[in-house]
Amino acid sequence: MKIFRTPGDLQDELNLYRGKKSIGLVPTMGALHDGHLSILKHSLKQNAVTVCSIFVNPAQFNDLKDLANYPRDEDKDIQMLKNINCSITFIPDEKDIYPVKKLLDISFGDLENVMEGAFRPGHFKGVANVVKILFDIIKPDVAYFGEKDFQQLMIIKKLVQQFNMNTAIEAFPTVREKDGLAMSSRNIYLNKAERKAAPVIYQSLLLAKKMYHNKIPVGHIKMEVMKKIHSTEVLKVQYFEIVNADTLQPVEENNTIAAGRGCIAVQASDTRLIDNIALAFAE
Ligand code: AMP
């Protein structure tokens, strides 16, 4: 595995492949887990070269404490990437990603005004900027994003359209622990009681899926999900929304939309967990 720390060195390497062999990119913020590794293994199978970027992007944190506390373990990440024979790891410095401090004013209208966008002001502007910069440097043929961050995935698809980027965006299904908890770099911060309770998040999404399938009114589904999660006493729902899977706008009456998405954010002490599930009606 080759490790590059500057855009110039990485580009010299990638120029050997460009136009001849496909380049896959998996952007990450490090603190890698099996979810990241599954995406990387998939990209390694599909592409001649796979780049894993590791960059904790300050621009996407609206809370400085959250940024300071974000888990970082470069040596462990590198070892994990070596173990799966990742082709290239790119670990840039902030000054190389943001040579100019000012962010581009990229916006996504209604897509960014709900859920994560509403609770984390500026978050998607930061995400869009870093992804655009990484795409400009790497020019991947395919870039992979997890469905776990469903709203982010939709925003990135829009970004690529907005800037006519020549990169295909591929969604990767959420990878879960055996008990259903979506894998996340933040899970290590859960205390014992919170970790024990956390599988209820996915269980409540499964319940929502079943209810939606059976055309139970959206308001009732939301109430049941809240009740189930709050029964743990250590988890607090920040939002649970049933949205149109394409527009991310809330679904009010569930007989109006065939493809929905249930999206949830839960607070466990200082740790914020998100998850989501596809919803569909019984025909
Ligand atoms: P992060 O390092 O958390 O920014 O995540 C990097 C990429 O991995 C993003 O596209 C995430 O959506 C994806 N990802 C993170 N956790 C999971 C998971 N449990 N399953 C699938 N993809 C994930």
Side-chain angles (χ1 to χ4, degrees):
M1 184 179 75
K2 293 185 176 170
I3 301 173
F4 297 97
R5 292 181 186 271
T6 66
D9 289 344
L10 175 66
Q11 282 167 330
D12 286 346
E13 174 76 10
L14 292 177
N15 284 340
L16 303 173
Y17 303 97
R18 219 176 282 295
K20 290 173 247 160
K21 295 193 167 160
S22 66
I23 299 171
L25 170 65
V26 182
T28 80
M29 298 208 297
L32 300 179
H33 51 67
D34 281 348
H36 297 117
L37 296 186
S38 303
I39 308 180
L40 282 157
K41 285 181 197 162
H42 178 68
S43 173
L44 285 162
K45 266 193 219 144
Q46 288 203 323
N47 300 284
V49 194
T50 289
V51 181
C52 174
S53 64
I54 298 180
F55 180 64
V56 182
N57 175 32
Q60 73 185 66
F61 285 82
N62 54 315
D63 175 353
L64 287 179
K65 203 170 118 209
D66 189 24
L67 172 63
N69 287 340
Y70 198 82
R72 293 166 171 84
D73 193 340
E74 189 180 301
D75 292 345
K76 189 171 165 214
D77 288 345
I78 290 174
Q79 196 50 54
M80 287 167 95
L81 292 166
K82 281 184 179 164
N83 290 347
I84 60 161
N85 268 324
C86 184
S87 344
I88 293 174
T89 302
F90 179 45
I91 313 178
D93 266 354
E94 191 177 335
K95 67 174 177 6
D96 287 316
I97 293 294
Y98 296 115
V100 181
K101 278 265 179 313
K102 196 166 163 26
L103 296 184
L104 285 180
D105 198 9
I106 314 176
S107 51
F108 302 92
D110 288 345
L111 274 189
E112 69 176 337
N113 294 333
V114 291
M115 301 190 290
E116 292 303 286
F119 280 91
R120 303 181 68 187
H123 172 65
F124 287 121
K125 184 175 166 191
V127 169
N129 268 265
V130 78
V131 171
K132 181 171 184 325
I133 289 164
L134 288 171
F135 281 18
D136 285 345
I137 295 170
I138 297 167
K139 298 188 176 63
D141 296 292
V142 194
Y144 299 84
F145 291 85
E147 281 184 355
K148 171 173 173 286
D149 300 280
F150 191 75
Q151 191 173 7
Q152 170 174 280
L153 171 65
M154 304 298 283
I155 295 264
I156 302 296
K157 285 184 177 168
K158 194 81 178 183
L159 174 77
V160 167
Q161 268 181 4
Q162 269 186 34
F163 287 91
N164 276 312
M165 291 166 160
N166 199 13
T167 294
I169 303 301
E170 215 184 278
F172 196 86
T174 302
V175 180
R176 300 181 178 282
E177 302 288 354
K178 279 198 181 73
D179 59 15
L181 175 64
M183 288 186 185
S184 163
S185 305
R186 297 176 192 270
N187 289 353
I188 54 166
Y189 290 130
L190 297 174
N191 67 32
K192 244 183 161 166
E194 290 161 353
R195 178 61 191 85
K196 190 158 175 260
V200 79
I201 300 170
Y202 185 51
Q203 286 158 17
S204 70
L205 291 179
L206 289 172
L207 174 69
K209 187 184 175 82
K210 197 167 153 199
M211 292 174 84
Y212 192 85
H213 189 77
N214 293 330
K215 302 193 176 173
I216 308 285
V218 166
H220 188 66
I221 302 177
K222 281 187 174 178
M223 240 169 50
E224 288 301 314
V225 165
M226 301 282 208
K227 209 163 74 187
K228 195 167 169 70
I229 289 184
H230 290 157
S231 73
T232 65
E233 291 179 4
V234 288
L235 304 179
K236 192 163 174 357
V237 177
Q238 196 173 60
Y239 66 78
F240 171 65
E241 293 288 354
I242 293 184
V243 297
N244 178 314
D246 293 320
T247 64
L248 301 188
Q249 299 313 294
V251 173
E252 301 299 342
E253 287 299 329
N254 68 0
N255 55 3
T256 59
I257 172 85
R261 200 92 194 177
C263 300
I264 194 163
V266 168
Q267 198 78 37
S269 308
D270 286 339
T271 309
R272 203 167 164 278
L273 304 174
I274 60 171
D275 202 347
N276 65 85
I277 198 162
L279 305 173
F281 288 151
E283 290 302 331

